[in-house]
Amino acid sequence: MLKVRNCVLLCMMIAVAFSVGGYAEAAAQAGGRGAAPPARPDNAPSLAHIEAAKKIAGADLMAPFNFFCIPANTSANNANAPELEPVKIFDNLYAAGNSETIVYAITTSDGIILIDSCYGDRVETVLVPGLKKLGLDPAKVKYLLLGHGHGDHFGGAAYFQEHYGTRVGTAVEDWDLIYPANPPQQANPNAVKPPKRDLVIAEGQPIKLGDVTVTPVLIPGHTPGSMAYIFPVKDGRTTHTAGLFGGTILTLDRITTPGLKQYVGSISHYLDVAKRLKVDVEVQNHAIFDDTPNRLAQLRARKSGQPHPFVMGAEKYARFWQVVSECVQAEIARRGDQ
């Protein structure tokens, strides 16, 4: 009887987590990653998309191919993954937080822009100490931009609002996700505290701080207001353009077919902008499909004059997201719905 009651309580906790924080938060409360997606048999259209993805990937982009085109390899980010060793990636771009839920700090001439804020229960123990270890003053964080409105991204945002007066921004659609018109009854007293509704980010309205301009791109699919951010990064005297796609769908099987179709459209739209702005650097908040651990190792071993491991070039960057798109289309095709 006790086992049954505990199982019911756990299921209730997971249901609440799904409603307020997405699958990653639910998986965290359940103790880690979710189960592997159920196998759907391939068919001629899905195999055609897989073959197209493999051709686009070539030999240098097998990481996203293997993650997204092989259903058994897809998984949500793990809240229990090791914390990231705080690292300087470019002269004006730093990373801290969790190794599978990364927070990026962009330094400018007038303060710091954060992209995401990781988990609420780690802002004081992981994120803030990580920023300080990098020589960054958390009090200088002027903007905190959310990749999307799930708890593993906005978890630390309220802390920055309350302690440093940081402006927190997301799309209006995801403010409405964080603050739904009819919120579910909160059964978990330790639930993530959301930030106060603040800055509304919209495509076509760049965010400027000091000498840095961040270009937001609306990419609905994972959430209605998922955002990508494009911004300059500096490597010595060379300036590159980085792209962070902040609403990646990691577990394709958990999204409806209309949602996946919307997501494919968002990738296409994003690539139009990324090509126009010549994005040549790939960074990711859920860095579990883009070979980030290997690139960080290369960065640590990098010697003067060697190529920067996070600079992949505009052509390869476009191929990267085309691979993801083809794999998503393969999942749609497996459902027999083109």
Side-chain angles (χ1 to χ4, degrees), residues 8 22 24 48 51 54 71 95 116 121 155 170 201 220 264 271 321 327 333-334:
V8 171
E51 185 60 30
K54 190 171 185 179
D116 288 337
D121 60 353
T170 191
I201 298 174
V264 169
L271 279 180
W321 284 106
C327 293
R334 289 187 192 102

Side-chain angles (χ1 to χ4, degrees), residues 28 52 70 144 175 234-235 288 310:
I70 301 175
L144 198 163
W175 278 124
K234 298 178 180 179
D235 182 28
I288 61 177
F310 281 81

Side-chain angles (χ1 to χ4, degrees), residues 125-145:
T125 58
V126 176
L127 180 54
V128 168
L131 293 176
K132 290 180 177 179
K133 186 174 181 179
L134 292 166
L136 305 179
D137 182 356
K140 293 184 178 180
V141 176
K142 302 292 182 66
Y143 289 110
L144 198 163
L145 313 179

Side-chain angles (χ1 to χ4, degrees), residues 76-251:
N77 56 297
N78 184 3
N80 298 317
E83 308 302 352
L84 180 73
E85 177 64 27
V87 58
K88 179 180 180 180
I89 299 179
F90 287 90
D91 294 345
N92 66 325
L93 182 67
Y94 302 76
N98 184 266
S99 60
E100 295 193 6
T101 307
I102 297 176
V103 175
Y104 291 92
I106 308 166
T107 56
T108 81
S109 60
D110 192 30
I112 300 169
I113 300 170
L114 285 189
I115 298 180
D116 288 337
S117 59
C118 203
Y119 300 95
D121 60 353
R122 302 179 201 179
V123 63
E124 292 184 90
T125 58
V126 176
L127 180 54
V128 168
L131 293 176
K132 290 180 177 179
K133 186 174 181 179
L134 292 166
L136 305 179
D137 182 356
K140 293 184 178 180
V141 176
K142 302 292 182 66
Y143 289 110
L144 198 163
L145 313 179
L146 300 179
H148 63 273
H150 283 162
D152 54 335
H153 299 270
F154 70 66
Y159 180 93
F160 279 87
Q161 279 183 328
E162 294 167 2
H163 286 76
Y164 309 120
T166 303
R167 299 293 308 277
V168 175
T170 191
V172 65
E173 295 89 347
D174 272 18
W175 278 124
D176 291 341
L177 178 69
I178 296 170
Y179 287 100
N182 298 299
Q185 183 177 356
Q186 184 53 262
N188 180 7
N190 297 316
V192 177
K193 179 181 180 179
K196 294 179 181 177
R197 189 184 284 259
D198 188 10
L199 180 68
V200 174
I201 298 174
E203 183 167 340
Q205 298 178 14
I207 299 105
K208 298 181 180 180
L209 183 64
D211 58 348
V212 170
T213 297
V214 177
T215 300
V217 184
L218 185 64
I219 49 166
H222 185 50
T223 64
S226 292
M227 300 296 298
Y229 299 106
I230 297 173
F231 51 91
V233 291
K234 298 178 180 179
D235 182 28
R237 296 182 178 180
T238 304
T239 299
H240 296 278
T241 303
L244 192 158
F245 194 96
T248 306
I249 296 175
L250 299 174
T251 49

